[in-house]
Amino acid sequence: MLGAGLLVASCILVGLEPAPLGAIRDTLFDNYQRLMPRERRTAPAVIVEIDERTLDARGQWPWPRSVVAELIEAIGANRPAAIGVDILFVEPDRSSATSDGILAKAIQGKDVVLGIAGLEYRDRRYPFPPQAVPTRVASGRDVPLRRYDGHLQSRPEINRAAAGRGLLSSDAKGVVRRVPLLAHIGQVIVPALSVDMLRVATNAPFLRVTDRGGERVELAIGDLVVPLQSDGSAYVYFGLSDAERFVSAQDVLARAVPADVLKDKLVLVGVTGLGLLDFQLTPLGERIPGVEIHAQLLEQMFDGSFLRRPSRASWLEAALLAIAGLVLVLAVPVLRPLGSCALVVAATVVLAVVGLLAFRMGYLVNVAAPVLGVAATFAALLAGTYAEADRQRRLLREAQARVAGELEAAQRIQMGLLPAPREIFAREKRFELEALLEPARTVGGDFYDCFMLDEHRLFFLVGDVSGKGLGASLFMALSKSLVKSIALRDAGDPAAILARANAEISRDNRESLFVTALAGVLDARSGELVYCNAGHEPPVASVIGETPQRVMQSGGPPLCVIEGYAYTSAILKLSRGGWFCVVTDGVTEAMNERGELYGSVRLLEKVKGIDTPRAIVQTVRDDVRRFAASAEQSDDLTLLCVRWGTS
């Protein structure tokens, strides 16, 4: 009776599909995709990526609109089918008052689709509804599309020049599985960027939605029909990330791309430079830039490789559980334990095969729920094991709660004042260290630290929190305290210290801030410097008799950008009298009244021939002030310089 009652309860539970079963379902569907990723049969989409190489050649992001216009012109010269821009131009271009007009002129007549970002609130800059292609809906109900109260879009002059507009928002929290292909912004139905690119490419005057009830919703883009879920979203059937999808924007600007690469293609433009975006996690376990999701959607539309979650699928899964569970209820009491186990294994294998075959046909059936129900029923029939499992789960939750409490306590540790290197190392003869921090406001997000790990090893750190003001200073205090605490506990490799700091700082980062950091350990006996650069401005190093050089070795992205990233360290051997100088972007990106940047070239020129940390710090600070003149300081300015072998 216990087994039968549990079976009935399990069937009802599976049919209702509460949140925990939804999480199990998503994990199962992710594993299906890992076992059978989508094969890339066609290549309709090409991504013109603003990558690190392009940023090195054309300057850091954001670019002046005139440079973006040059890129659009270069793409348009190859006669693509449509151009989708996965970038918003919301704020005025600070570099030139005419740049918006230049970009609008470049977009005009080139079948360009601009992005719209859906918001949960109304942005007062956009009180009016967004402009979007008409969508004709054939339905006997109000189709429950995803709704946004507000939106962001490019500036009006630029927006008017576009041939279409598409939604960029994915609403993904963690793994990207579904994206809205249609959504309401206010009362306006807005298609996804990929959908409107197809519409523009096919010259379709409108979109058609046919609703047959439940999850049987279809979106027609010209002659192409795409199945949707009832909320207007579609499951993304991911293929493996492929470098062939990408073309460097630098090559396009240099006219070094063969014409047939972009001709008649759906070209997506997006930023992929490390540290400039949030990578999206796919069911395949890969982290890809958001613009590649649009490319994969276009590929699966062309290939007809769709994934559907059928109407009332959860009750179909409940029926599978009922059949398998009824067999167990009838057979287990008369079978030996070994035979009962074999029966459970056989039932599990059959359900797994059903799920895999359904996936091959494009249908998502959650056989994990029936398998769990079968296991629970079998456990009840064998008596008592379910209670023990529940006890173990409670113990696990208690252990997790204790660990979470300890981590929260560690995060509340307050940082002290920034150290004074001249006082701390006043008697030190093996090395000399000088540091300076000048916030752009009363408080800022830059920070530095320096202390001895032991008798011979010096640890130093320079960091820069995204943003300015009080919020950045609070996050800076947390970051500095955690890194120092970790370094003093571990006294090890800078990469390991930053990797652990990345995990700890990210845990309660509700404002989605990030921290660039450079940590180093100098052995005062040998001059060996081990350092790790986490998305920070490249440092400058000098070896006696050689010109100072920027050290371009990167250990990884900024902290709080990629969860679980494995950072790497580099080793630099300083000769006696050699020095190592770390700066924040408040130095290299200092701007004068004409909008010119201070830049790394000028930095290298100014430190040439200087051999003491105090002189280097003083010279650079004074030169930045002269360069900026009366221009307002736009960012915190921090320098830390260490010289080995002072005596």
Side-chain angles (χ1 to χ4, degrees):
M1 290 297 294
L2 178 62
L6 182 60
L7 175 61
V8 172
S10 298
C11 289
I12 295 173
L13 192 66
V14 170
L16 295 175
E17 198 174 31
L21 289 183
I24 294 171
R25 172 201 65 205
D26 291 340
T27 301
L28 176 68
F29 295 165
D30 292 350
N31 287 324
Y32 283 162
Q33 293 211 40
R34 291 184 183 185
L35 285 172
M36 294 177 283
R38 178 177 56 81
E39 296 181 5
R40 188 171 178 236
R41 297 196 297 270
T42 61
V46 176
I47 301 169
V48 174
E49 58 172 338
I50 301 173
D51 55 2
E52 290 289 351
R53 186 161 66 89
T54 306
L55 295 174
D56 288 341
R58 294 284 174 156
Q60 294 189 352
W61 190 262
W63 286 346
R65 302 277 158 81
S66 58
V67 179
V68 180
E70 182 184 350
L71 178 60
I72 297 297
E73 292 280 6
I75 296 171
N78 291 274
R79 292 184 293 172
I83 304 172
V85 182
D86 189 23
I87 303 168
L88 291 175
F89 306 101
V90 178
E91 301 296 337
D93 190 343
R94 292 179 295 177
S95 65
S96 172
T98 62
S99 289
D100 286 349
I102 294 172
L103 179 56
K105 184 177 180 181
I107 290 173
Q108 189 76 43
K110 290 188 177 61
D111 291 335
V112 174
V113 180
L114 295 178
I116 298 176
L119 301 176
E120 301 296 338
Y121 58 91
R122 291 189 179 181
D123 190 291
R124 60 186 179 183
R125 292 172 294 181
Y126 298 95
F128 45 84
Q131 181 181 353
V133 62
T135 302
R136 298 180 180 178
V137 181
S139 175
R141 60 174 176 167
D142 184 13
V143 182
L145 301 179
R146 170 73 166 90
R147 286 189 176 272
Y148 295 98
D149 290 333
H151 68 287
L152 286 176
Q153 62 187 47
S154 297
R155 291 179 58 76
E157 183 178 1
I158 300 172
N159 190 58
R160 285 192 299 269
R165 295 137 201 96
L167 190 65
L168 301 177
S169 308
S170 68
D171 297 334
K173 301 293 188 295
V175 180
V176 177
R177 300 180 180 94
R178 296 164 61 170
V179 296
L181 296 190
L182 291 175
H184 270 120
I185 297 180
Q187 300 301 315
V188 178
I189 296 178
V190 179
L193 180 70
S194 54
V195 171
D196 214 39
M197 286 178 67
L198 278 175
R199 179 195 65 80
V200 169
T202 57
N203 294 316
F206 55 85
L207 301 173
R208 300 192 309 275
V209 175
T210 304
D211 176 22
R212 295 185 173 87
E215 301 300 314
R216 297 178 300 168
V217 180
E218 292 180 343
L219 168 65
I221 312 166
D223 296 330
L224 179 64
V225 177
V226 180
L228 304 179
Q229 301 302 125
S230 60
D231 62 355
S233 68
Y235 282 91
V236 185
Y237 190 179
F238 283 96
L240 293 172
S241 186
D242 190 344
E244 292 185 0
R245 290 191 182 97
F246 295 87
V247 174
S248 175
Q250 176 59 20
D251 291 338
V252 176
L253 288 166
R255 303 298 199 272
V257 177
D260 59 347
V261 172
L262 301 180
K263 183 179 180 182
D264 297 328
K265 298 288 186 178
L266 298 165
V267 178
L268 288 152
V269 180
V271 181
T272 64
L274 196 61
L276 294 181
L277 76 165
D278 290 329
F279 283 85
Q280 302 291 332
L281 182 62
T282 74
L284 303 182
E286 298 179 324
R287 290 188 179 274
I288 65 175
V291 68
E292 188 174 354
I293 296 175
H294 295 296
Q296 297 229 22
L297 278 169
L298 290 167
E299 288 175 5
Q300 73 177 83
M301 290 180 195
F302 267 75
D303 293 345
S305 301
F306 300 112
L307 297 177
R308 308 168 181 84
R309 178 77 169 148
S311 299
R312 300 182 180 84
S314 60
W315 292 107
L316 170 63
E317 293 148 8
L320 292 173
L321 171 58
I323 294 170
L326 184 60
V327 172
L328 286 179
V329 169
L330 296 175
V332 167
V334 298
L335 292 176
R336 293 179 180 272
L338 186 59
S340 298
C341 292
L343 183 60
V344 171
V345 171
T348 301
V349 170
V350 169
L351 289 171
V353 170
V354 168
L356 290 170
L357 289 176
F359 184 81
R360 288 294 298 268
M361 298 170 63
Y363 293 98
L364 296 171
V365 178
N366 179 20
V367 296
V371 167
L372 290 176
V374 166
T377 303
F378 181 62
L381 292 170
L382 294 179
T385 55
Y386 180 79
E388 176 63 19
D390 185 62
R391 187 182 71 84
Q392 294 294 333
R393 285 195 296 271
R394 286 199 302 272
L395 291 175
L396 179 60
R397 285 196 294 268
E398 292 172 1
Q400 291 173 336
R402 287 195 297 271
V403 173
E406 293 172 359
L407 291 175
E408 290 174 1
Q411 291 172 350
R412 290 194 293 268
I413 297 175
Q414 297 296 317
M415 68 172 284
L417 296 175
L418 294 171
R422 295 184 196 175
E423 298 176 6
I424 297 174
F425 306 117
R427 299 183 179 180
E428 183 59 62
K429 302 300 183 183
R430 297 171 297 178
F431 62 84
E432 180 183 353
L433 190 146
E434 183 74 13
L436 168 74
L437 190 153
E438 291 186 352
R441 301 179 182 176
T442 305
V443 291
D446 281 13
F447 62 94
Y448 69 85
D449 207 346
C450 52
F451 49 87
M452 298 300 293
L453 295 174
D454 52 36
E455 183 181 354
H456 302 291
R457 292 188 301 160
L458 165 71
F459 177 85
F460 61 88
L461 169 74
V462 177
D464 185 0
V465 175
S466 60
K468 303 179 187 67
L470 182 59
S473 70
L474 292 174
F475 201 70
M476 172 274 286
L478 171 66
S479 304
K480 177 179 177 295
S481 297
L482 282 172
V483 173
K484 181 173 183 178
S485 175
I486 293 167
L488 289 173
R489 289 198 304 270
D490 292 355
D493 178 41
I497 293 171
L498 291 185
R500 186 170 177 185
N502 181 41
E504 300 238 9
I505 298 170
S506 299
R507 186 169 287 108
D508 282 333
N509 185 11
R510 297 182 180 178
E511 298 300 319
S512 299
L513 297 173
F514 62 85
V515 187
T516 69
L518 191 147
V521 175
L522 173 66
D523 191 323
R525 296 165 296 184
S526 65
E528 181 178 87
L529 175 63
V530 183
Y531 67 95
C532 178
N533 188 339
H536 199 74
E537 186 73 16
V540 178
S542 174
V543 179
I544 295 299
E546 295 184 9
T547 302
Q549 304 256 344
R550 297 183 88 199
V551 182
M552 306 304 293
Q553 179 71 30
S554 173
L559 307 184
C560 306
V561 170
I562 301 178
E563 183 180 352
Y565 190 88
Y567 289 88
T568 57
S569 290
I571 299 176
L572 179 66
K573 185 66 173 69
L574 292 178
S575 58
R576 190 165 296 277
W579 51 263
F580 187 82
C581 183
V582 188
V583 303
T584 60
D585 56 11
V587 174
T588 56
E589 295 182 8
M591 191 176 296
N592 62 17
E593 297 163 323
R594 298 185 297 277
E596 299 169 334
L597 297 180
Y598 185 83
S600 59
V601 174
R602 181 164 180 154
L603 173 64
L604 292 173
E605 185 65 29
K606 289 300 174 183
V607 299
K608 189 185 301 182
I610 307 176
D611 59 0
T612 66
R614 184 179 300 183
I616 290 170
V617 170
Q618 185 70 35
T619 298
V620 174
R621 183 193 64 179
D622 293 345
D623 191 57
V624 169
R625 287 177 177 175
R626 284 193 299 270
F627 175 80
S630 61
E632 182 181 0
Q633 184 178 344
S634 60
D635 202 355
D636 306 334
L637 183 149
T638 303
L639 300 98
L640 184 147
C641 185
V642 60
R643 177 174 179 256
W644 179 67
T646 60
S647 65

